[in-house]
Amino acid sequence: MTFSAQLRRPLAWFALGLLGIALAGCGYNNVPTLEEKAKAAWSEVQNQYQRRADLIPNLVETVKGYAAQEREVLTAVIEARAKATQVKVDASTISDPAKFKEYQDAQNQLTGALGRLLVTVERYPDLKSNQNFLALQSQLEGTENRVAVARRDYIQAVQDFNTEIRTFPGVIWAKVFWGAKPMETFTATAGAERPPAVKF
């Protein structure tokens, strides 16, 4: 082996090392890193929605005994829960605006039905003092807070990802190497600023 052949191999490894450092330093890994962060945040949103869906049957059963005449409100909650659990959006489809909107609409419908149920419960003093109901109500309120936090974290992760794939140099890596598409984010529901109306 000649001296030049012996020198080529370490130089090749050195060049590959420099290329790796250059790629890492120029944002090549930012796109997949931010994408995975957004997908993880989406998984937490789904986790909290599932927790809420699991609590609802217990809440409805507890209320049924006291509020037998409120069948319409209870039925709306049960139907909204069924619809919300049927619409699935996984991490591979969070860049599909139509599917994401369908999912968000189903979850918003469930949120509204739960709000009407909790307001309706104010009519039943015995129910308000029932320990089972109070525990479920507390868990549901805690879950709603967790949903809000998970959605906020997801929105931030998506903002970081979408900004990266639309700005230089991330736009180059996103289009040329990763084929990344912008992810969808949550929007406020029309009328969300108003509390649910319940007529007695």
Side-chain angles (χ1 to χ4, degrees):
M1 210 183 250
T2 66
F3 178 72
S4 64
Q6 289 177 344
L7 188 60
R8 273 190 226 148
R9 180 170 283 180
L11 283 176
W13 283 111
F14 181 72
L16 280 173
L18 281 179
L19 179 63
I21 291 169
L23 286 176
C26 68
Y28 177 78
N29 290 325
N30 287 356
V31 173
T33 301
L34 292 173
E35 181 178 33
E36 290 306 314
K37 184 178 175 185
K39 286 179 180 180
W42 176 250
S43 295
E44 183 57 20
V45 170
Q46 290 184 303
N47 179 40
Q48 295 307 328
Y49 278 144
Q50 184 61 53
R51 184 176 192 274
R52 176 173 74 171
D54 292 344
L55 283 172
I56 289 170
N58 295 331
L59 179 67
V60 169
E61 286 303 315
T62 303
V63 173
K64 265 185 188 176
Y66 287 90
Q69 62 271 41
E70 301 296 344
R71 294 277 179 229
E72 186 179 320
V73 174
L74 294 171
T75 302
V77 170
I78 293 166
E79 288 173 356
R81 177 193 178 272
K83 184 175 180 183
T85 55
Q86 287 174 355
V87 178
K88 301 289 185 201
V89 174
D90 60 24
S92 67
T93 57
I94 54 179
S95 57
D96 180 350
K99 193 77 172 154
F100 193 87
K101 182 171 180 355
E102 180 185 3
Y103 183 81
Q104 183 178 351
D105 290 346
Q107 293 298 334
N108 289 341
Q109 186 178 6
L110 178 54
T111 299
L114 281 173
R116 287 187 296 281
L117 173 62
L118 293 175
V119 170
T120 300
V121 161
E122 293 297 315
R123 292 179 61 185
Y124 301 95
D126 291 341
L127 180 57
K128 287 190 291 181
S129 64
N130 177 284
Q131 292 303 311
N132 290 335
F133 174 74
L134 292 175
L136 284 168
Q137 184 181 25
S138 175
Q139 286 185 36
L140 196 58
E141 287 168 353
T143 299
E144 291 301 310
N145 289 337
R146 287 185 182 102
V147 165
V149 169
R151 283 173 55 141
R152 182 202 64 205
D153 292 347
Y154 170 74
I155 289 167
Q156 182 61 55
V158 167
Q159 179 185 2
D160 293 345
F161 174 76
N162 287 349
T163 301
E164 178 68 24
I165 67 170
R166 293 181 64 204
T167 56
F168 185 81
V171 68
I172 295 169
W173 304 122
K175 290 193 184 305
V176 175
F177 292 100
W178 302 112
K181 296 178 186 173
M183 292 182 183
E184 291 299 309
T185 190
F186 291 99
T187 55
T189 325
E193 70 282 356
R194 294 186 307 274
V198 176
K199 296 177 183 173
F200 297 117

